[in-house]
Structure formats: structure tokens, C-alpha cells
Amino acid sequence: QKEVEQNSGPLSVPEGAIASLNCTYSDRGSQSFFWYRQYSGKSPELIMFIYSNGDKEDGRFTAQLNKASQYVSLLIRDSQPSDSATYLCAVWAGGFKTIFGAGTRLFVKA
Amino acid sequence: NAGVTQTPKFQVLKTGQSMTLQCAQDMNHNSMYWYRQDPGMGLRLIYYSASEGTTDKGEVPNGYNVSRLNKREFSLRLESAAPSQTSVYFCASGGGRGSSGNTIYFGEGSWLTVV
């Protein structure tokens, strides 16, 4: 069974701090990695994806990938209360099946 | 641009009743998906359709059927609803190949309660 693991949280950070969200995956053949944000009662929305080792930055968000360690993370700089949501890690290993983690709840305290 | 649209948004069913969830996408994607999301379980794939005319089982297909009506539409049917099917259902479509992989875009969700 291919798995994607995330700490369920909640992860609580003060406003303005860096929030660090982590994800590990079991399939070494995984090729692309996605982060989604899901507000309560809403659908997941794509934040960013990464497929090469290293960092990828998009505004306040940075995705980090280490394929050797099978680890992907999302950093949120200058966290805002509006960032409070559940963050889903998703892994694509080819074909038409993408595996989602159960998500990490983030709470940003004003 | 509506993206992925699914109906109904909310539905209450009695055990044994049947219903169909409708989904349509306007992003010209080949692949479409039905997921269910339960607390602590994450998103689980029910069925998917790689392209028009094809459907395949996902992780949790029992109790469901699907129809890929055309490139835009992919419906999910519960033939005889059970309380265990109480969940939030998300339709999605997938696009992009190569380095970005198969990026999944979700509809707004359908909240289904079976009593």
C-alpha cells in the first residue's frame, strides 16, 4: 500500500512566524508532490507543486523536496490567521492515481 | 471559468435509497475522479476515469458505480445507500503531464448523509 503520512496536528504558530508542515511518502517512484490547502467546509485548493529536489518558492510559500529521504515539506513565512486551514500533501507516482495524506491542521494565533 | 462543478451540494438519504452525484468540468481535462473524505481518513479514491469511455476502480469502490458520460461529465451513483456512505464527496479532474504530473483540481464537494 502506497502511503503518504502527515502529522495531524494541530500545529499552532503565532502570527508572523514560520509554519513548517511535513510529509513523508513510501513510494520511491513518486515523481511529483503537491500541497493543497483546505478550509473547513471547503474543497482542497492547490497551493503549489514540486518535482525536483531542493526548494521552490511562491510568495510566502516554500516547498522543499528530498527524494533520498522521501520527505517533502511546506514552509509558510509570515503566517497570517487566514492561513489557518488543513494542509494536504499529495504524491503522484505516475498514471492516474494521486495519493493524499490525511492533512495537518494549522492554527495561526493573532 | 467554473472549473469543476458538482451537484447536489447537500443531500440526506434514507438507507436503501439510490442517488446520483453529478459532476462536470470545463477545463478540457481527460481524467476525472471521485473521492470521499472522512474525518481522520483523508481523501480516498472511489473511481476514476482516465479518459472518455473508460472507468477504473480506486481504493474504495464497493457500493458505488460511475459513468463517464462524455469528456466533461462524470457521475457517481449510490445504488442502495448505507450509513457507512455518509461522507463528503469530491469530484475532481486532472490535467498537466510531464514534470508537473497529474494535477488534481477539485469541485466544491457534496455533503451526503445516510440515515
Side-chain angles (χ1 to χ4, degrees), chain A residues 3-73:
Chain A
E3 293 185 346
V4 176
E5 300 288 341
Q6 296 182 256
N7 188 318
S8 63
L11 172 65
S12 183
V13 300
E15 184 175 359
I18 296 175
S20 178
L21 304 163
N22 304 314
C23 172
T24 59
Y25 59 95
S26 62
D27 186 351
R28 286 195 171 273
S30 299
Q31 300 174 45
S32 296
F33 308 85
F34 304 84
W35 283 100
Y36 289 81
R37 177 176 61 201
Q38 186 174 23
Y39 292 113
S40 181
K42 301 296 185 181
S43 62
E45 59 176 321
L46 180 69
I47 298 174
M48 62 191 304
F49 69 89
I50 187 169
Y51 57 87
S52 296
N53 278 327
D55 296 359
K56 179 180 179 181
E57 186 175 318
D58 184 357
R60 295 187 296 113
F61 299 97
T62 299
Q64 299 176 317
L65 175 61
N66 184 326
K67 289 187 177 181
S69 299
Q70 295 176 247
Y71 178 91
V72 59
S73 64

Side-chain angles (χ1 to χ4, degrees), chain B residues 42-54:
Chain B
L43 286 158
R44 293 183 292 170
L45 183 63
I46 304 171
Y47 270 93
Y48 71 99
S49 170
S51 62
E52 183 179 353
T54 69

Side-chain angles (χ1 to χ4, degrees), chain B residues 18-63:
Chain B
S18 62
M19 78 160 296
T20 299
L21 301 176
Q22 307 286 354
C23 176
Q25 54 98 3
D26 63 5
M27 294 186 284
N28 200 34
H29 289 160
N30 286 319
S31 59
M32 296 187 73
Y33 308 79
W34 278 104
Y35 290 89
R36 61 177 288 173
Q37 187 176 41
D38 303 289
M41 301 290 291
L43 286 158
R44 293 183 292 170
L45 183 63
I46 304 171
Y47 270 93
Y48 71 99
S49 170
S51 62
E52 183 179 353
T54 69
T55 61
D56 284 286
K57 295 179 180 180
E59 182 183 357
V60 288
N62 291 343

